[in-house]
Amino acid sequence: MNNKLILELYVSKFEIGSFHVDVKRCQIREFDSVQTIEPKVMDVLVYLHTHQGNVVSQEDIFYAVWPQAIFNPSSVQRCIAILRKAFGDDAKNPSLIITHSKRGYSLELPKVESKKQLLIIGSAVIVALLLASIYLFMQKQPTNKTEFLTLLPISTGEHNEFSFVVAPNAEHIAFLREQEGGKHIWVKQLQTGIEKRLTKSPADYTSLGWRPDSKGLVFAKRDEKTSSLVIINLDSTVNPEHKTIYTTSDFMISSHKLDWANDHVVYFTEKRRENSDTQLVTVNLISGEKEILNQSVGQDWLLMQALSPNRTHVALGFEAGQNMYRIDLLDLVKNDIQTLVTIENGLSGLSWHPDGKSILLSNRDKLLSVNLAGDTKPIEFKNYKIVRDAVYSADGSEIYMELVNVDVDILNSTRDNPNELVPIIDSSSVDYLPVFSPDSSKFVFESHRFGLKQLFIYESGQARLLFDNPSNHELFGIAWSKDGKEVFTASKNAIFRIDISSGVVSETPHTYHSFYLREAFRNEDALLVSYRAQNGNGFHVAKFELDTGELSAYQASGARLSCYSMSLDDKDTVYFSNESGVFKLSERNQVETVWESQNKGIIGVTAKENTLFVTVEKENEYTLLEHNLLSGDTREFPLGNKEQKMLINANHDYSQLLFLTEPKRNKTLVKLK
């Protein structure tokens, strides 16, 4: 008899005194009487029964039965009331389901000393022992489990918990907890939930990694000037000693986690402070010696690494182009590197299956399993939050991960009163990329509030859905038609043209993968876009023809034009900028310098009639520079400080400004069974 069948037999039927409980049918029987109860009420009963004799909190019950919902104690209280009524248990003087003030509930089974009851108890013990034997057997080798159905919380508090790593012996996890005082490193025993804080004072702690024997941790700590590797010995020490092994001022340790390969070598990713170049390195924790194993080249940025269970390979995750993420496999024995797979829409976690035959990818709100032949398979589960750093349990039967809910809101202010900010789009999800209409009466923005990437339009104080994006395409920019009657957005293989009045959507396919919409031409049916060439760095100016579906890059003296921002004037002349200057493309495809910044910091440019609007970051301030192209005169206007907000868009004359709030992230640790 297999363990799945045994488990089904054990949990599908049980007895409480004279009552017979049938879980599958949601029925409670007593003699000839049958009561049918709601499935969620039955789930609460099963949870109490599996914890009989123990006090369980309302929170524990709620998250076991409603794992993806916001805690609501009344849901638990209602189920308890229904169960008490079903069992005839007096709510004022209960003998079956006991209330423990400020602690929770316990199920106390009546003692029945009949032979039948003893047989039932004996059978249950046998089943439990058999299950334990099966569990221990399964622990000996990784499972190839492919179906995961239940999402359960690991976090127990309201604080952000993240950057977790599971101990090799599967008994503990270490993680960061962010509280009002800052970040601390904690260790939690998975079986009991007992926690211990390992750091005395808060700091900017980042990556964590376990010692192979589960008796120590290595972590990264950084400040404005340096990044350091620190180790903690956890061998029954009341106050574990922290020892700094490696410190660098040229690089920042950028790994999501640290891979401690044996008792003295750690693998991690670091990024150069000067130019953001990235590399895979090792540091010997005894000698402090550093070795560079791989340096990223071209447009690649190394994001993370994962050491294989047998320590012969390292999986490397790269950002490799616009919305492109590549997984390479570095053979440490042969010193050879091969591309395994390329994916889209983000890479936020990379880890190995314990059998070493596949790799688990955290891909935005999804999980992907990739075998060593490069075949990719999704791991299905219901989710709309961002997944980070998913990792298998030691036997492969569970997946631990961090779920992140991101909240970004849209604020409005004016040039005359830039520091008087008014929230106008405020949901509990991501609302961003607002773009004013040509007449400044409304704006369109992207929102993820319903688990999809959709476009909304804000007009007359109201926001309404404009483009529902049923296939949930990744969207790349928003552009208005010059008459304000249409809005354009793009996916990786199509342009969507949306009529503002009717909501009718027309689609123009293209074959150029992803590029970013900037603005619509006034005098031709085309869009100004920025794109990232497969063989180049940075973003370049290009035109997309809506009637033909062709993309053509602007050239000047045979070179692509790199830019931070771009704009069209009333005659469709192309203006673009880098961080230090604004340029114009002449009719003869010659680049002319229009305006230069003394301190760099250019973040946006808009050309209107004979005026050039340039937005600049100066230290902690936003500044608008209004440059008259005829007279050469420049006027300067403060647009407010940068604290907890980002200037994202303005109307045609910069009298109205739109900001985004800094992302608020709610992070929780969960496991998928």
Side-chain angles (χ1 to χ4, degrees):
M1 184 177 291
N2 64 49
N3 62 323
K4 182 178 179 182
L5 181 56
I6 293 172
L7 186 61
E8 286 180 352
L9 288 173
Y10 179 61
V11 302
S12 63
K13 294 182 180 181
F14 54 85
E15 294 183 1
I16 297 178
S18 60
F19 293 88
H20 301 262
V21 179
D22 189 326
V23 176
K24 289 185 176 181
R25 296 179 180 177
C26 289
Q27 291 180 345
I28 298 175
R29 298 173 179 266
E30 186 182 35
F31 307 114
D32 295 329
S33 173
V34 179
Q35 301 178 68
T36 300
I37 62 174
E38 302 169 23
K40 290 296 184 185
V41 177
M42 180 59 74
D43 291 342
V44 171
L45 176 58
V46 169
Y47 188 81
L48 289 171
H49 187 262
T50 57
H51 295 79
Q52 57 187 273
N54 298 314
V55 179
V56 289
S57 68
Q58 291 186 9
E59 289 89 343
D60 289 340
I61 297 171
F62 184 87
Y63 286 121
V65 177
W66 296 273
Q68 299 187 39
I70 299 172
F71 175 60
N72 182 3
S74 63
S75 298
V76 178
Q77 294 162 5
R78 173 180 174 273
C79 291
I80 295 295
I82 293 173
L83 289 172
R84 281 176 172 158
K85 184 177 180 181
F87 289 113
D89 200 25
D90 186 357
K92 295 181 180 180
N93 187 28
S95 59
L96 190 65
I97 301 176
I98 310 300
T99 300
H100 301 265
S101 180
K102 298 183 179 179
R103 295 175 61 199
Y105 304 98
S106 66
L107 178 65
E108 304 295 338
L109 296 185
K111 294 182 179 180
V112 180
E113 304 209 0
S114 66
K115 292 182 179 180
K116 178 181 178 182
Q117 185 68 17
L118 290 173
L119 285 171
I120 293 171
I121 294 172
S123 299
V125 170
I126 293 171
V127 169
L129 290 173
L130 187 54
L131 282 172
S133 300
I134 293 171
Y135 174 77
L136 291 173
F137 173 76
M138 295 299 290
Q139 285 287 84
K140 294 180 181 179
Q141 58 186 31
T143 177
N144 59 356
K145 180 178 177 180
T146 59
E147 186 176 6
F148 299 83
L149 301 176
T150 306
L151 194 64
L152 298 172
I154 299 175
S155 295
T156 56
E158 297 179 355
H159 303 293
N160 280 332
E161 296 178 352
F162 52 97
S163 295
F164 73 97
V165 284
V166 183
N169 64 10
E171 294 180 1
H172 295 82
I173 60 169
F175 60 93
L176 298 179
R177 176 177 285 158
E178 190 170 30
Q179 298 171 262
E180 291 182 1
K183 297 178 186 176
H184 279 285
I185 301 175
W186 290 75
V187 169
K188 174 182 287 191
Q189 190 176 40
L190 288 170
Q191 187 68 27
T192 65
I194 296 174
E195 298 179 346
K196 180 179 181 180
R197 198 179 78 185
L198 300 182
T199 47
K200 294 181 180 179
S201 57
D204 189 10
Y205 305 110
T206 55
S207 317
L208 305 175
W210 281 96
R211 200 165 81 186
D213 62 2
S214 301
K215 295 181 179 180
L217 280 171
V218 60
F219 64 88
K221 179 181 178 182
R222 65 189 180 194
D223 54 34
E224 293 182 359
K225 296 182 179 180
T226 64
S227 282
S228 303
L229 283 180
V230 185
I231 56 175
I232 308 175
N233 184 0
L234 301 179
D235 286 337
S236 302
T237 305
V238 177
N239 295 309
E241 179 186 359
H242 296 195
K243 183 178 180 181
T244 301
I245 300 299
Y246 164 76
T247 299
T248 174
S249 57
D250 295 330
F251 291 86
M252 291 187 298
I253 297 172
S254 54
S255 296
H256 284 210
K257 61 179 181 177
L258 306 173
D259 290 309
W260 196 329
N262 49 46
D263 284 345
H264 57 274
V265 176
V266 171
Y267 289 73
F268 59 93
T269 302
E270 61 181 10
K271 178 170 63 176
R272 188 181 293 275
R273 290 177 183 267
E274 181 182 5
N275 57 14
S276 296
D277 286 347
T278 52
Q279 57 189 26
L280 173 70
V281 301
T282 63
V283 165
N284 187 302
L285 296 179
I286 296 176
S287 66
E289 181 181 354
K290 173 179 173 179
E291 181 182 358
I292 300 172
L293 300 184
N294 178 271
Q295 291 179 304
S296 60
V297 294
Q299 63 176 344
D300 288 346
W301 285 275
L302 180 59
L303 302 175
M304 61 195 73
Q305 88 295 324
L307 184 66
S308 65
N310 62 5
R311 299 168 188 170
T312 61
H313 293 79
V314 180
L316 303 176
F318 294 88
E319 181 183 350
Q322 188 161 306
N323 197 40
M324 300 294 292
Y325 300 85
R326 193 183 71 247
I327 312 302
D328 286 357
L329 206 56
L330 174 63
D331 189 323
L332 296 174
V333 179
K334 299 179 181 179
N335 194 27
D336 178 51
I337 189 167
Q338 300 290 334
T339 294
L340 189 63
V341 69
T342 299
I343 64 172
E344 300 174 352
N345 303 336
L347 178 66
S348 52
L350 185 68
S351 64
W352 287 79
H353 191 282
D355 66 8
K357 297 179 181 180
S358 63
I359 297 171
L360 183 65
L361 308 182
S362 303
N363 178 220
R364 188 70 65 86
D365 57 349
K366 299 177 177 62
L367 291 174
L368 302 176
S369 176
V370 182
N371 65 24
L372 300 187
D375 300 321
T376 303
K377 181 180 179 181
I379 296 176
E380 302 291 349
F381 72 110
K382 293 180 180 179
N383 178 55
Y384 61 92
K385 296 182 180 181
I386 294 173
V387 177
R388 277 179 56 92
D389 297 329
V391 59
Y392 287 101
S393 61
D395 65 352
S397 65
E398 298 176 336
I399 296 175
Y400 296 88
M401 70 186 90
E402 176 187 325
L403 291 184
V404 186
N405 184 71
V406 183
D407 181 10
V408 177
D409 300 322
I410 301 174
L411 311 174
N412 174 241
S413 72
T414 65
R415 189 200 299 196
D416 294 335
N417 296 291
N419 289 317
E420 292 186 12
L421 296 164
V422 179
I424 50 176
I425 303 296
D426 183 2
S427 73
S428 60
S429 188
V430 175
D431 300 297
Y432 78 121
L433 198 65
V435 180
F436 267 116
S437 62
D439 66 0
S440 308
S441 66
K442 47 189 169 288
F443 63 84
V444 167
F445 63 98
E446 183 175 336
S447 179
H448 299 177
R449 64 186 66 181
F450 300 124
L452 298 173
K453 305 168 187 69
Q454 299 175 324
L455 296 188
F456 285 72
I457 185 168
Y458 180 84
E459 184 177 19
S460 302
Q462 298 289 329
R464 63 176 173 87
L465 182 63
L466 180 65
F467 175 49
D468 61 358
N469 192 15
S471 299
N472 202 25
H473 296 291
E474 191 79 8
L475 301 179
F476 301 98
I478 296 169
W480 284 84
S481 63
K482 293 303 181 183
D483 60 9
K485 295 181 179 180
E486 295 177 314
V487 162
F488 302 90
T489 190
S491 70
K492 68 175 184 178
N493 51 25
I495 298 289
F496 300 101
R497 189 171 194 159
I498 307 151
D499 185 277
I500 294 296
S501 298
S502 66
V504 173
V505 179
S506 58
E507 187 174 331
T508 301
H510 67 78
T511 59
Y512 300 98
H513 201 260
S514 52
F515 49 80
Y516 202 87
L517 303 194
R518 298 292 189 141
E519 198 170 333
F521 281 78
R522 179 182 298 273
N523 302 306
E524 51 185 312
D525 201 21
L527 298 170
L528 185 68
V529 306
S530 61
Y531 83 106
R532 195 171 179 178
Q534 294 294 325
N535 60 347
N537 294 314
F539 294 91
H540 309 287
V541 188
K543 179 196 291 188
F544 181 81
E545 305 282 353
L546 287 164
D547 54 349
T548 64
E550 294 183 2
L551 180 74
S552 55
Y554 285 100
Q555 302 283 329
S557 303
R560 285 191 299 264
L561 306 179
S562 296
C563 65
Y564 283 6
S565 62
M566 60 186 73
S567 179
L568 295 168
D569 68 8
D570 299 321
K571 297 180 181 179
D572 286 343
T573 303
V574 177
Y575 290 78
F576 62 96
S577 73
N578 56 27
E579 65 176 351
S580 58
V582 180
F583 311 94
K584 180 176 74 171
L585 190 62
S586 71
E587 294 180 358
R588 297 181 179 180
N589 281 343
Q590 297 297 314
V591 175
E592 301 177 6
T593 301
V594 178
W595 186 85
E596 290 184 292
S597 171
Q598 296 178 351
N599 301 310
K600 298 186 177 181
I602 296 175
I603 59 172
V605 59
T606 303
K608 296 292 181 184
E609 297 180 350
N610 294 315
T611 303
L612 191 68
F613 297 97
V614 183
T615 48
V616 179
E617 290 180 329
K618 287 186 176 181
E619 296 179 350
N620 196 40
E621 300 289 328
Y622 290 114
T623 302
L624 172 66
L625 298 163
E626 189 175 303
H627 179 72
N628 189 304
L629 294 171
L630 298 179
S631 67
D633 296 334
T634 302
R635 295 192 298 166
E636 189 171 311
F637 302 90
L639 297 182
N641 60 53
K642 294 168 54 181
E643 293 180 3
Q644 299 183 342
K645 63 181 183 294
M646 177 190 297
L647 178 61
I648 194 71
N649 193 246
N651 66 347
H652 68 285
D653 61 359
Y654 278 75
S655 61
Q656 297 286 326
L657 308 171
L658 294 175
F659 293 85
L660 299 181
T661 60
E662 283 191 354
K664 297 176 184 177
R665 294 178 172 89
N666 178 258
K667 307 172 185 178
T668 55
L669 305 182
V670 301
K671 66 179 178 181
L672 187 61
K673 297 180 67 175

